[in-house]
């Protein structure tokens, strides 16, 4: 069972249809079960029920989650596979010592995968959908998987199955979500 | 949050409006009346009747003309959104975009420039499931235009029913069409639904069709109490 952490500004918001349901539907169609929980209502006992975790994106103007990074401190000790998408990547970066920095981008753009990984595969160029006002700096020790140092498109933890991607895989790159769900960890 | 819905009167803007009304306050509908039948951004068949649909929904409408030229229409859209923001105190915009990155990207940029939230509550929805949802929730949707092979004249003016959805599902498998018409294959017009305070009744209409391209034009329309 996969936990989808809804990072939108409120529980059951209008944004949930746009940033959470497409991930839920992608997983469902690939045969993976998932449940949605808002980031403000996650309790430790409940988190333990899930095998892996996806932190979803938010609307362009929605940065409330970044004011509540304390609610995500549990990620630092979590040993389960984690995928952070856009806002979710910002959360991972902040929890592991990186910074959330202004870096607006909207629309389809070329993404350079520069390092082979279980999630994104071999180095190559793909097209990804950007929708963010903020990007991240690479937390110390994390590996850059796509983009460049001042423009992090994707990263991973050096030893644990923790990934972040700033573009939205639910648009034209659903294979990334499916691959994360099926990775043998 | 007070929202304005980009409203063409087709099923996607109507259903996006429904979702927005369930979560927030829809303060107005914003309609761009395009003179270009091949508009990149805006639904065109029967757009003049969006005014009566707004009355049926009981929501104020702000309509603006646009010549519908590729990038100039975006300036017209931004001006309309800006006017609606000021008049109705909007905090966000809602669109019925499903898969069109072209549309979504441009509206997102306008909202960013206008410091408005942008919501796309149908984004990436499974199109066949969505069509079934429309029918099961009681939306009365007709096909008001067809613009691609293999749609024949029988589609013009017909209601979206389970039988038609099954045909669309088959066409998706065979020809890779977008069953909801997101790729411009077809256009729709909504006559009734659970958010309508009154329903619409077509009094007169006409059809034009040639080479897999046709319009069902509504000439006379009236509001009917429910």
């Amino acid at each position: 069972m996969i936990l989808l952490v809804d990072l939108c500004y409120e529980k059951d918001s209008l944004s949930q249809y746009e940033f959470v349901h497409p991930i839920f539907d992608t997983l469902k169609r690939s045969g993976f079960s998932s449940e949605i929980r808002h980031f403000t209502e996650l309790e430790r006992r409940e988190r333990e029920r899930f095998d892996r975790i996806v932190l979803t994106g938010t609307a362009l103007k929605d940065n409330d989650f970044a004011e509540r990074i304390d609610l995500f401190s549990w990620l630092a000790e979590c040993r389960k596979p984690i995928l952070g998408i856009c806002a979710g990547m910002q959360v991972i970066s902040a929890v592991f010592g990186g910074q959330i920095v202004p870096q607006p981008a909207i629309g389809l753009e070329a993404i350079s995968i520069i390092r082979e990984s279980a999630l994104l595969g071999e180095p190559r160029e793909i097209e990804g959908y950007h929708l963010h006002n903020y990007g991240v700096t690479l937390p110390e020790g994390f590996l850059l998987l796509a983009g460049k140092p001042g423009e992090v498109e994707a990263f991973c933890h050096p030893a644990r199955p923790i990934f972040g991607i700033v573009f939205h895989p639910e648009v034209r790159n659903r294979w990334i979500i499916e691959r994360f769900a099926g990775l043998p960890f | 949050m007070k929202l304005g819905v980009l409203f063409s009167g087709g099923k996607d803007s109507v259903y996006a409006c429904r979702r927005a009304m369930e979560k927030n306050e829809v303060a107005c509908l914003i309609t761009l009346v395009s003179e270009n039948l091949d508009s990149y951004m805006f639904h065109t068949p029967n757009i003049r009747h969006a005014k009566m649909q707004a009355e049926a929904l009981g929501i104020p409408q702000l309509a603006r003309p646009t010549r519908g030229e590729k990038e100039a229409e975006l300036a017209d859209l931004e001006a309309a959104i800006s006017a609606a923001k000021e008049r109705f105190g909007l905090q966000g915009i809602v669109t019925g975009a499903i898969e069109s990155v072209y549309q979504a990207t441009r509206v997102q940029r306008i909202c960013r420039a206008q410091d408005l939230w942008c919501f796309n509550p149908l984004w990436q929805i499974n199109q066949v499931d969505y069509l079934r949802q429309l029918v099961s929730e009681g939306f009365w949707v007709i096909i008001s235009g067809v613009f691609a092979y293999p749609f024949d004249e029988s589609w013009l003016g017909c209601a979206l029913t389970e039988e038609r959805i099954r045909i669309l599902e088959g066409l998706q498998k065979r020809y890779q069409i977008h069953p909801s018409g997101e790729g411009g294959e077809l256009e729709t017009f909504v006559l009734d639904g659970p958010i309508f305070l009154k329903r619409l009744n077509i009094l007169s209409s006409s059809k034009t069709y040639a080479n897999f391209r046709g319009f069902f034009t509504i000439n006379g329309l009236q509001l009917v109490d429910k």
Side-chain angles (χ1 to χ4, degrees):
Chain A
M1 180 67 74
I2 299 171
L3 170 63
L4 296 188
V5 184
D6 174 355
L7 298 193
C8 300
Y9 61 99
E10 65 184 16
K11 188 181 172 183
D12 298 326
S13 68
L14 189 55
S15 285
Q16 196 186 64
Y17 291 119
E18 187 174 348
F19 297 99
V20 187
H21 286 202
I23 313 287
F24 180 89
D25 290 343
T26 300
L27 290 168
K28 188 177 171 189
R29 283 175 198 286
S30 309
F32 298 100
S33 301
S34 62
E35 288 182 21
I36 300 166
R37 293 286 184 280
H38 193 251
F39 73 95
T40 56
E41 62 170 10
L42 269 175
E43 294 192 8
R44 182 184 183 144
R45 198 166 36 182
E46 199 186 24
R47 291 198 304 263
E48 286 170 358
R49 290 177 43 227
F50 297 93
D51 308 318
R52 48 191 84 194
I53 296 150
V54 178
L55 308 169
T56 68
T58 64
L60 210 51
K61 265 180 77 73
D62 184 353
N63 298 298
D64 286 7
F65 64 91
E67 307 297 321
R68 308 290 309 276
I69 291 296
D70 56 303
L71 292 177
F72 300 96
S73 55
W74 56 276
L75 290 172
E77 304 305 321
C78 179
R79 289 293 183 264
K80 293 172 182 173
I82 302 167
L83 172 63
I85 298 169
C86 196
M89 181 200 213
Q90 294 172 37
V91 165
I92 292 172
S93 179
V95 167
F96 286 90
Q99 285 184 311
I100 299 173
V101 294
Q103 201 173 79
I106 302 173
L108 278 177
E109 286 174 47
I111 311 282
S112 292
I113 298 171
I114 59 163
R115 185 187 186 103
E116 184 164 1
S117 67
L119 184 69
L120 299 180
E122 293 177 353
R124 66 196 185 287
E125 206 159 89
I126 61 170
E127 206 172 39
Y129 182 62
H130 284 144
L131 185 65
H132 53 264
N133 275 328
Y134 295 91
V136 299
T137 62
L138 202 60
E140 198 177 333
F142 271 56
L143 306 173
L144 184 67
L145 299 181
K148 47 194 175 191
E151 225 168 89
V152 179
E153 294 283 356
F155 62 38
C156 73
H157 188 280
R160 287 155 52 187
I162 300 175
F163 300 91
I165 50 179
V166 79
F167 55 96
H168 288 262
E170 64 273 27
V171 180
R172 311 239 176 136
N173 289 299
R174 289 181 192 159
W175 60 272
I176 296 174
I177 301 165
E178 291 163 7
R179 192 177 282 186
F180 172 76
L183 281 177
F185 291 118
Chain B
M1 201 183 294
K2 276 182 135 181
L3 303 176
V5 177
L6 298 188
F7 189 79
S8 66
K11 60 179 172 36
D12 302 338
S13 58
V14 169
Y15 200 69
C17 183
R18 173 184 176 73
R19 286 196 159 171
M21 288 167 77
E22 285 173 345
K23 307 279 186 184
N24 298 91
E25 179 191 349
V26 174
C28 76
L29 305 176
I30 302 166
T31 304
L32 266 282
V33 182
S34 178
E35 294 162 9
N36 178 1
L37 293 178
D38 293 318
S39 167
Y40 285 86
M41 286 291 290
F42 311 116
H43 179 123
T44 48
N46 302 306
I47 192 78
R48 65 195 171 98
H49 298 302
K51 184 180 178 189
M52 198 178 279
Q53 287 173 307
E55 278 179 63
L57 290 163
I59 302 172
Q61 185 208 33
L62 184 143
R64 288 282 186 275
T66 176
R67 287 172 67 187
E69 290 160 356
K70 194 170 181 181
E71 293 296 332
E73 64 185 358
L74 293 170
D76 295 332
L77 176 63
E78 181 156 7
I81 287 173
S82 175
K85 177 185 173 185
E86 194 170 320
R87 188 186 302 176
F88 296 98
L90 300 184
Q91 293 154 288
I93 294 297
V94 180
T95 89
I98 296 177
E99 277 194 8
S100 170
V101 167
Y102 178 88
Q103 278 188 348
T105 297
R106 278 149 184 81
V107 177
Q108 289 280 4
R109 286 183 184 145
I110 289 171
C111 288
R112 186 173 190 276
Q114 294 289 326
D115 193 26
L116 287 164
W117 286 71
C118 184
F119 296 100
N120 299 284
L122 309 185
W123 191 235
Q124 305 297 309
I125 198 168
N126 177 284
Q127 296 185 28
V128 171
D129 291 351
Y130 160 54
L131 295 179
R132 294 211 159 95
Q133 218 166 319
L134 279 166
V135 172
S136 71
E137 290 182 21
F139 285 93
W140 187 250
V141 179
I142 60 165
I143 309 297
S144 54
V146 295
F147 309 98
Y149 181 84
F151 292 104
D152 61 24
E153 198 173 349
S154 75
W155 286 87
L156 292 175
C158 81
L160 184 70
T161 58
E162 176 55 33
E163 188 189 346
R164 289 281 175 179
I165 294 169
R166 273 202 298 268
I167 297 171
L168 288 166
E169 205 172 5
L171 295 177
Q172 180 186 28
K173 285 177 188 150
R174 189 160 176 198
Y175 299 106
Q176 287 78 50
I177 63 135
H178 298 80
S180 75
E182 176 83 349
E185 297 92 337
L186 47 87
E187 298 284 8
T188 59
F189 188 86
V190 184
L191 296 169
D192 195 8
I195 54 172
F196 281 64
L197 305 177
K198 294 186 176 185
R199 69 180 175 82
L200 294 161
N201 183 37
I202 296 173
L203 296 171
S204 62
S205 61
S206 55
K207 292 180 191 180
T208 54
Y209 181 86
N211 299 323
F212 308 104
R213 179 179 168 86
F215 293 97
F216 176 83
T217 305
I218 298 168
N219 299 317
L221 194 64
Q222 67 177 175
L223 287 169
V224 179
D225 287 333
K226 291 171 76 170

